[in-house]
Amino acid sequence: MSAPPGPPAPVEADGLLQLLRRRRVCRRFSDQAVDERRLRMVLEAGCWASSASNNRIHRLLLVRDQRRIDLVRAMSPGMLGLPTALVVICTDLDAAARAQVRVDRDTTTWIDVGTAAMNMMVEAEALGLGTCPTTSFSRGGVRAALELPPSAVPEFILQIGWPAGTEPPAETAAPGPAGRRLRAFAYAERYGTPLA
Ligand SMILES: Cc1cc2nc3c(=O)[nH]c(=O)nc-3n(C[C@H](O)[C@H](O)[C@H](O)COP(=O)(O)O)c2cc1C
């Protein structure tokens, strides 16, 4: 019988701590688009975040269409940068009803937004990307800009892009098909449209 695996090597923990120390919000982005593979890695990190009672009542909407990003930006006084991608974390009221979560009372739903956001920011940092959280936006305006259904409440917007002044690495690797978790909890461009 083989021995059970040991704990992860301490060097990884040191590297992670260094990454957490150096991460700072980015409010100046280059206009170079972020490739699909890295965006999916960021999204997947969000999908693996801890969730109260494993209720998973949030969905992550990836927006890369510049016209839609501009519309969202017009509704978001807190969006100071010009990101090339957004991830909008939405509470899904249908999922909440299925899980019998009272979103008006249960504060853990907010904490779940934070766990997903932080996972994505850490993964983005590891990929050399810049991110900035955004909570200063008009919910109604963003809902209209992204044509969200009534069941989707936008809670948090993560701005993503290459930090201005950096030289993005050439990307050649195409992303593989989206895994089960990504397909279950993340949407591409339109709410309800799973990643391919
Ligand atoms: C919940 C939350 C909401 C935030 N909302 C905004 C925002 O609307 N606009 C913005 O530019 N920064 C926003 N920020 C970024 C903070 O201002 C920033 O994280 C803080 O100044 C600390 O900087 P650091 O993340 O680089 O350590 C937000 C951060 C958090 C955690």
Side-chain angles (χ1 to χ4, degrees):
M1 213 161 66
S2 61
V11 65
E12 288 178 34
D14 286 346
L16 178 58
L17 184 57
Q18 277 175 33
L19 185 144
L20 293 171
R21 277 198 193 120
R22 77 166 189 236
R23 184 211 55 80
R24 295 276 73 82
V25 291
C26 176
R27 297 191 176 98
R28 286 185 59 241
F29 298 99
S30 99
D31 57 10
Q32 184 135 354
V34 180
D35 56 279
E36 177 81 18
R37 189 179 68 86
R38 287 187 178 85
L39 287 174
R40 285 189 185 209
M41 290 172 80
V42 173
L43 275 175
E44 190 173 339
C47 291
W48 282 107
S50 188
S51 162
S53 301
N54 206 21
N55 281 326
R56 309 221 166 262
I57 64 167
H58 299 100
R59 299 293 179 268
L60 309 179
L61 174 63
L62 173 66
V63 182
R64 281 161 303 183
D65 177 65
Q66 198 56 52
R67 190 187 64 85
R68 285 153 73 81
I69 292 175
D70 291 345
L71 284 174
V72 169
R73 208 166 165 269
M75 302 295 161
S76 308
M79 196 174 291
L80 305 175
L82 292 168
T84 53
L86 306 175
V87 176
V88 184
I89 304 180
C90 297
T91 300
D92 188 289
L93 298 179
D94 292 340
R98 282 196 298 276
Q100 297 182 306
V101 175
R102 290 283 310 266
V103 292
D104 54 335
R105 288 196 190 165
D106 188 340
T107 53
T108 63
T109 64
W110 287 97
I111 297 169
D112 285 1
V113 171
T115 60
M118 197 68 216
N119 266 22
M120 289 193 285
M121 287 193 277
V122 169
E123 178 68 10
E125 179 71 29
L127 290 164
L129 296 167
T131 59
C132 186
T134 318
T135 49
S136 173
F137 61 86
S138 153
R139 277 190 165 69
V142 167
R143 190 179 240 159
L146 297 175
E147 299 167 278
L148 298 178
S151 60
V153 183
E155 310 281 12
F156 180 105
I157 304 173
L158 188 64
Q159 305 171 53
I160 305 176
W162 293 109
T166 59
E167 187 56 46
E171 179 61 40
T172 49
R180 205 158 52 147
R181 188 162 285 244
L182 207 48
R183 285 202 312 277
F185 300 114
Y187 298 134
E189 237 43 77
R190 303 247 159 213
Y191 200 88
T193 303
L195 281 101

